[in-house]
Amino acid sequence: PTELPLVLLLFGGTGDLAKRKLYPSLFNLFKKGYLQKHFAVIGTARHPLDDEKFQEVVRQSIAKNGTEGQVKEFAAHFRYSSHDVTDLKDYGKLKNMLAKLDKEFDAGGNRIFYMSVAPRFFGQIAQAIKSEGLMSDTGYNRLMVEKPFGTSYKTAEELQNQLESGFSDDQIFRIDHYLGKEMVQNIPAVRFGNPILDATWNKNYIKNVQVTLAEQLGVEERAGYYNTAGALLDMIQNHAFQIVGWLAMEKPSSFSDTDIRAAKNTVFSKLKMYDEREVVANFVRGQYGRGREVWQKSYTEEPNVPADSKNDTYVAGRLQFENDRWTGVPFYIRTGKRLAAKQTRVDIVYKKSSFDFGKFNQDKLSEPVLSILIDPVGGINFSLNGKNVTTEFETRSDLLKWSISDQDKVKTPDPYERMLHDAMNGDGSNFADWNGVSISWKFVDQIAKVWAEDKAPLEIYESATMGSVASDRLLAETGDRWIYRG
Ligand code: BG6
C-alpha cells in the first residue's frame, strides 16, 4: 500500500480508548504499510509523563500484536505533551511540537486532530486548534470526534457551530463505530451489488425492515453516564439511525462519500417526525428487572443507579419514511441491555407470494427474509420458499446461510482501524454527517421529551429475555413479528 504520511494529535492519549483501540489500530496500519516512516503521534493528557514512559504505554497496548522489533520501531514515533485542554496558553506548546515533528518525520503537513476526551471539551478544543494556529497550511487538517455528539438537538447544534468555526464539514469526521463494522459496510455491497435485490428494495416487495441491536451485558460500571443517556441516546440516536441510513437511502449516483451522504440525507429528510401522541403509539421503552440467576440484578439495583431511576435500558420503535420508495413500510428498530443474547442484525422481510399452489398448500407460504448478521458472527441468511418433501404439492421455507469464515474473521479490520485509515484518505463515506445527525436528534428529542414527562409506560422486563412485551405488540398491530427472537 501507499504510505499515508501525517502527524496525529490525540487529545486523551493515555485513555482507555487509546490503549484498547487506537494504538492497536494504528499499529495494524503500520504493519500493513499505510504508516511507514513518515508519521508521528502526539498524545496529550493532563498529568506529566515523559516520552519514554508514554512509549511504554503504547508498547504495552500492542505488545501481543507484533514482533519486538516492530513494536519498538512503531512506538518510537510517539511523543507526549502534558496539556490542559481548557488553557489556551498550553496550545502554543502543541503548535511547536506539531511543526517540529512534521519536519523530523517529513509528514507533509498532514494533520489529524483526534478528540478522545470528555465530550464537554470538544467544542473548546476545536476552536483552540484554529485560534492558536495548530493547523497546517501545507497539507490537510482533519478532525476526528468521538461520540456522543451532543445530548439533544440544541447541544449538538451548539457543538456543530463550535466545530465549524475551525473546520469545514468535509474536514470533520464524526465517529460512529457501527459504521466501521464489516457487516454494516456489507449492506451497500449486498444491496447495490445485486440487481435482484436493488430492484426490489422498495415498498412493492418489502413488507418491513427490522434492525436489532441487542446486548447481553448490563450497565456494568458506566451508570454515571448511562443513567443520563439511556438506550435512546446511547444506541438509537446514533448507531440504529446510521444503520437505517444505509438501508433506507436512495441509490447514490456514485459510491463517493458526498454522493453517499446525499443519498442518505434525501431519505432522512423524509422521515416522519412524531408528535406526542405518535411517540406513544410508535415507541416503547423498558428497563431490565432481575433475571433467574442471582447475579442478574435489576437495573435499579446496579451500583450508582438511583433506586427510583426511570431510565430506559430498552427501546423499540417504528420509523416511517414518506417517500416513493418506502411509504407504508415500517422500519422497526430496537436495542436493549441485558437481553437474551448479543445480536446485532438487520432483517429485511419481503412480502409473501399470493400465488395459489392449490388446496394442499393453504397458509404454507412464508415471507422471504434476508438477514444481514453483524455481530457477534457476521453472515447473511436468506430464507426462501421451496418445495416440501411430500407427496401432495406443498411448500416450505428453507434457509440459505453464509457466515464469515475464520480466515476472513482474522483479516477483518477493527472499526477503528478502518475509520483511521478512511480519515487519512479523506474518505467520509463511513462517518456520520451533520445533516443526518441533526435529523436524528430532532426525532429523538420528541421521544425523550415524552418520556421525561413520564407520559408513556416504562415496562420492567426480565433480564436475559428479549425484552419488552410491548415491543411485540407494536409489531403485531401491523401484522408483523420480530424475526429474531433470542
Ligand atoms: C457504545 C455504547 O456506543 O456501543 C455502549 O455506548 C454499547 O453502551 C456499545 O455497549 C456496543 O458496541 P458493540 O460494538 O459492542 O456492539
Side-chain angles (χ1 to χ4, degrees):
T2 333
E3 188 186 11
L4 301 167
L6 87 157
V7 181
L8 177 82
L9 172 52
L10 174 61
F11 296 94
T14 55
D16 188 51
L17 183 80
K19 290 189 271 194
R20 254 180 340 104
K21 296 286 182 189
L22 303 179
Y23 299 150
S25 294
L26 288 168
F27 187 48
N28 281 342
L29 293 174
F30 174 76
K31 285 186 296 182
K32 289 179 181 171
Y34 295 107
L35 297 175
Q36 294 177 17
K37 298 212 169 330
H38 304 106
F39 80 97
V41 179
I42 305 173
T44 81
R46 286 190 66 156
H47 54 269
L49 199 71
D50 59 31
D51 286 346
E52 174 43 37
K53 293 234 174 59
F54 178 51
Q55 290 178 1
E56 181 52 31
V57 171
V58 175
R59 283 196 295 266
Q60 270 175 18
S61 71
I62 55 167
K64 295 188 309 291
N65 313 347
T67 65
E68 212 177 304
Q70 284 172 321
V71 168
K72 231 177 112 191
E73 190 190 334
F74 175 74
H77 290 257
F78 285 67
R79 302 288 182 274
Y80 183 80
S81 179
S82 129
H83 175 79
D84 176 355
V85 295
T86 62
D87 187 353
L88 273 190
K89 286 198 303 296
D90 257 16
Y91 287 83
K93 234 175 13 184
L94 294 178
K95 179 183 174 173
N96 295 338
M97 262 177 111
L98 282 163
K100 184 166 161 273
L101 290 172
D102 193 18
K103 220 158 152 197
E104 183 180 334
F105 289 94
D106 196 9
N110 296 327
R111 283 180 196 169
I112 289 184
F113 305 93
Y114 195 121
M115 298 202 277
S116 172
V117 290
R120 65 177 185 282
F121 298 124
F122 292 169
Q124 219 174 340
I125 295 175
Q127 285 176 322
I129 289 171
K130 173 80 173 180
S131 71
E132 303 315 297
L134 269 61
M135 290 167 122
S136 116
D137 31 302
T138 49
Y140 66 70
N141 293 285
R142 294 177 189 144
L143 185 72
M144 294 183 79
V145 46
E146 274 292 335
K147 67 160 240 187
F149 198 85
T151 53
S152 63
Y153 173 66
K154 189 167 162 284
T155 52
E157 193 188 29
E158 279 161 17
L159 174 57
Q160 173 67 10
N161 290 340
Q162 285 175 311
L163 300 191
E164 266 184 2
S165 68
F167 295 83
S168 59
D169 213 47
D170 62 345
Q171 294 176 307
I172 303 172
F173 292 75
R174 282 177 211 79
I175 293 170
D176 186 305
H177 79 281
Y178 272 59
L179 290 177
K181 289 180 189 274
E182 179 67 23
M183 289 306 294
V184 171
Q185 299 194 356
N186 217 327
I187 296 171
V190 169
R191 175 175 166 190
F192 302 121
N194 300 291
I196 46 162
L197 297 180
D198 187 17
T200 56
W201 207 267
N202 57 49
K203 64 181 183 211
N204 299 331
Y205 295 93
I206 292 178
K207 183 161 185 265
N208 67 73
V209 176
Q210 306 182 5
V211 176
T212 298
L213 314 179
E215 295 191 87
Q216 211 166 11
L217 292 178
V219 63
E220 309 299 296
E221 314 299 313
R222 296 164 73 221
Y225 149 74
Y226 192 78
N227 200 55
T228 63
L232 183 67
L233 270 54
D234 188 48
M235 299 288 282
I236 296 285
Q237 186 278 330
N238 40 36
H239 308 320
F241 259 84
Q242 292 302 327
I243 294 178
V244 167
W246 273 125
L247 295 167
M249 73 193 283
E250 287 303 308
K251 189 173 187 172
S253 35
S254 82
F255 207 56
S256 71
D257 56 357
T258 39
D259 286 340
I260 288 172
R261 285 172 178 215
K264 288 182 183 173
N265 287 334
T266 308
V267 78
F268 277 136
S269 69
K270 299 293 177 191
L271 176 67
K272 182 173 164 54
M273 290 286 165
Y274 293 151
D275 61 20
E276 186 180 311
R277 193 187 51 79
E278 290 163 329
V279 165
V280 177
N282 289 289
F283 269 81
V284 301
R285 59 174 173 164
Q287 188 186 79
Y288 62 83
R290 291 185 182 169
R292 302 214 173 137
E293 309 287 335
V294 194
W295 59 268
Q296 290 164 341
K297 288 189 258 175
S298 69
Y299 177 68
T300 50
E301 291 169 323
E302 299 277 21
N304 302 319
V305 173
D308 60 352
S309 172
K310 297 206 110 186
N311 193 31
D312 47 298
T313 66
Y314 179 94
V315 178
R318 182 193 288 123
L319 305 181
Q320 300 171 61
F321 293 100
E322 297 175 309
N323 65 359
D324 272 0
R325 187 184 290 279
W326 294 122
T327 302
V329 181
F331 278 66
Y332 299 111
I333 54 181
R334 64 175 164 169
T335 187
K337 291 210 184 277
R338 202 60 92 49
L339 298 180
K342 171 77 183 175
Q343 182 79 194
T344 310
R345 63 188 279 156
V346 169
D347 296 286
I348 315 280
V349 182
Y350 286 89
K351 291 186 174 169
K352 207 151 66 175
S353 165
S354 58
F355 191 77
D356 184 2
F357 281 105
K359 65 178 177 200
F360 298 108
N361 202 51
Q362 300 309 315
D363 301 322
K364 294 264 161 46
L365 283 166
S366 309
E367 291 156 353
V369 181
L370 173 68
S371 304
I372 300 178
L373 312 180
I374 298 165
D375 275 326
V377 182
I380 296 175
N381 289 355
F382 204 172
S383 81
L384 295 174
N385 292 293
K387 197 185 161 301
N388 198 3
V389 192
T390 43
T391 310
E392 311 282 10
F393 192 98
E394 253 179 49
T395 62
R396 71 174 182 203
S397 178
D398 281 313
L399 193 63
L400 312 185
K401 257 182 136 156
W402 165 79
S403 27
I404 289 189
S405 65
D406 290 347
Q407 237 176 343
D408 277 349
K409 197 165 180 165
V410 175
K411 281 198 282 186
T412 306
D414 182 82
Y416 278 92
E417 177 184 333
R418 219 188 303 255
M419 293 185 299
L420 283 161
H421 173 258
D422 285 355
M424 289 175 198
N425 268 323
D427 181 351
S429 305
N430 292 300
F431 293 86
D433 91 336
W434 169 238
N435 188 58
V437 169
S438 66
I439 292 170
S440 84
W441 270 126
K442 284 180 187 164
F443 183 86
V444 157
D445 275 358
Q446 291 292 97
I447 303 170
K449 182 162 170 284
V450 174
W451 291 355
E453 292 167 0
D454 214 7
K455 288 183 174 154
L458 174 76
E459 186 184 323
I460 306 296
Y461 58 93
E462 186 181 329
S463 277
T465 65
M466 268 321 275
S468 119
V469 178
S471 95
D472 291 340
R473 277 203 304 269
L474 188 75
L475 272 67
E477 279 165 17
T478 26
D480 297 324
R481 67 196 292 269
W482 290 110
I483 297 299
Y484 179 72
R485 314 197 60 80

